[in-house]
Amino acid sequence: MEQVNSIRPKGNRVVNVLIFIGLMILVSSPTMFAGSIIYLASNNEDVWKVIVITIIGIIFTVLVMWLFRWYYQKRSYEQDQHQMNLRDILINITWFIGIRIAVVIFVALMKAIYNKSSSENDKILMQQLKELQHINISTVIALLFFLIIIIFVAPYLEELLFRGIFKETIFKKTAFLLPLIVSSLIFSSLHASTNAISFIMYMVMGLCFYMAYNRRKNIKDSMMVHMINNAMAGITMVIMIFT
């Protein structure tokens, strides 16, 4: 047991930190690609141009996902990825419910203190979606790509990076508190927070995602919680825009 608990990251830690920083720069690129497709579709660009750019975006996104997954599998010391049973699914749903309750509380605080009803990150996403109110082939393609990125791709990449890669390539196996706090701080800093309340809100979300991962040291758990959370937020945004 002592030998297992003393497992340290593979490779040079300084190099691993530099690689993490590089991947941190890359992690938002599929979302940015989705934003560029929305811009093209909303400006009535030729539908074939939108289709071609979307195909390029899909290929690029798949390559980014493969890179993150390849690096994680190469450097991870948590090789035993447990199967997901009903109990695990229910626990993950409980984490999601806890996150949504926290979000409601923080949004109420933002409204009371700053007179803002949403974070800057949500405002940016909402502004992009508003460009797609005119329904045609181009905007439908852009909306579908955007939702796939927000609901599935972004959580997949962010969990691999901020929970899996961050913990397992920089800290030893027994580390808990420091990677929990630091990864959540970094996660929050990349979500366009413009006030203390929204920063703390995203940090709390990061803490919850990390705890979901840490329960079984299984990145699939935090991915599931993150995907459910983003699906709820994404669908809510679409309903608000088109109703």
Side-chain angles (χ1 to χ4, degrees):
M1 179 65 70
E2 184 178 349
Q3 184 177 3
V4 173
N5 289 338
S6 64
I7 292 177
R8 305 179 73 85
K10 300 175 183 177
N12 183 281
R13 185 169 292 176
V14 174
V15 173
N16 291 347
V17 169
L18 293 175
I19 292 174
F20 170 78
I21 293 172
L23 293 177
M24 191 166 61
I25 295 171
L26 189 60
V27 71
S28 298
S29 56
T31 304
M32 295 172 64
F33 218 121
S36 67
I37 295 173
I38 288 176
Y39 176 81
L40 289 175
S42 62
N43 283 276
N44 299 314
E45 294 286 351
D46 180 73
V47 64
W48 288 108
K49 183 176 182 180
V50 174
I51 291 174
V52 170
I53 298 299
T54 302
I55 292 173
I56 294 172
I58 292 171
I59 295 172
F60 174 77
T61 299
V62 170
L63 289 175
V64 171
M65 293 172 70
W66 172 84
L67 174 64
F68 276 61
R69 186 67 184 178
W70 171 81
Y71 181 72
Y72 176 69
Q73 290 180 326
K74 181 179 180 181
R75 293 298 180 93
S76 170
Y77 50 59
E78 299 288 1
Q79 299 294 336
D80 186 18
Q81 296 295 301
H82 305 288
Q83 294 295 318
M84 190 86 67
N85 57 38
L86 179 60
R87 177 176 177 272
D88 298 315
I89 293 172
L90 293 176
I91 290 174
N92 290 339
I93 291 174
T94 302
W95 276 115
F96 158 70
I97 293 171
I99 289 172
R100 297 321 300 175
I101 293 173
V103 167
V104 169
I105 294 171
F106 282 116
V107 168
L109 288 173
M110 276 195 294
K111 183 67 176 176
I113 298 173
Y114 300 106
N115 197 28
K116 294 183 177 181
S117 57
S118 63
S119 67
E120 193 64 27
N121 184 75
D122 288 345
K123 284 183 178 179
I124 293 171
L125 296 177
M126 287 285 287
Q127 189 60 42
Q128 288 180 324
L129 287 175
K130 284 181 180 178
E131 304 295 330
L132 299 177
Q133 287 182 316
H134 301 291
I135 303 298
N136 54 51
I137 295 176
S138 295
T139 56
V140 169
I141 291 172
L143 179 61
L144 288 175
F145 186 76
F146 177 85
L147 289 176
I148 290 171
I149 294 295
I150 293 299
I151 295 173
F152 299 106
V153 177
Y156 180 86
L157 295 177
E158 289 179 3
E159 292 311 309
L160 278 178
L161 182 63
F162 294 114
R163 261 56 70 176
I165 291 172
F166 183 79
K167 164 66 189 304
E168 299 173 34
T169 68
I170 300 176
F171 298 91
K172 64 181 181 180
K173 192 178 182 71
T174 52
F176 171 70
L177 190 59
L178 189 58
L180 168 71
I181 295 173
V182 176
S183 67
S184 300
L185 283 170
I186 297 173
F187 176 78
S188 180
S189 68
L190 294 180
H191 281 78
S193 299
T194 55
N195 59 69
I197 300 298
S198 64
F199 185 88
I200 296 172
M201 179 179 72
Y202 282 109
M203 184 175 177
V204 168
M205 291 173 65
L207 291 171
C208 291
F209 293 145
Y210 191 97
M211 293 300 294
Y213 152 77
N214 189 72
R215 182 175 67 88
R216 299 191 299 162
K217 305 298 187 295
N218 190 348
I219 201 68
K220 293 178 182 177
D221 288 312
S222 58
M223 283 181 182
M224 179 181 178
V225 178
H226 201 153
M227 287 180 183
I228 297 173
N229 180 73
N230 280 25
M232 177 74 175
I235 293 171
T236 300
M237 287 180 188
V238 171
I239 293 173
M240 290 174 64
I241 291 299
F242 290 98
T243 56

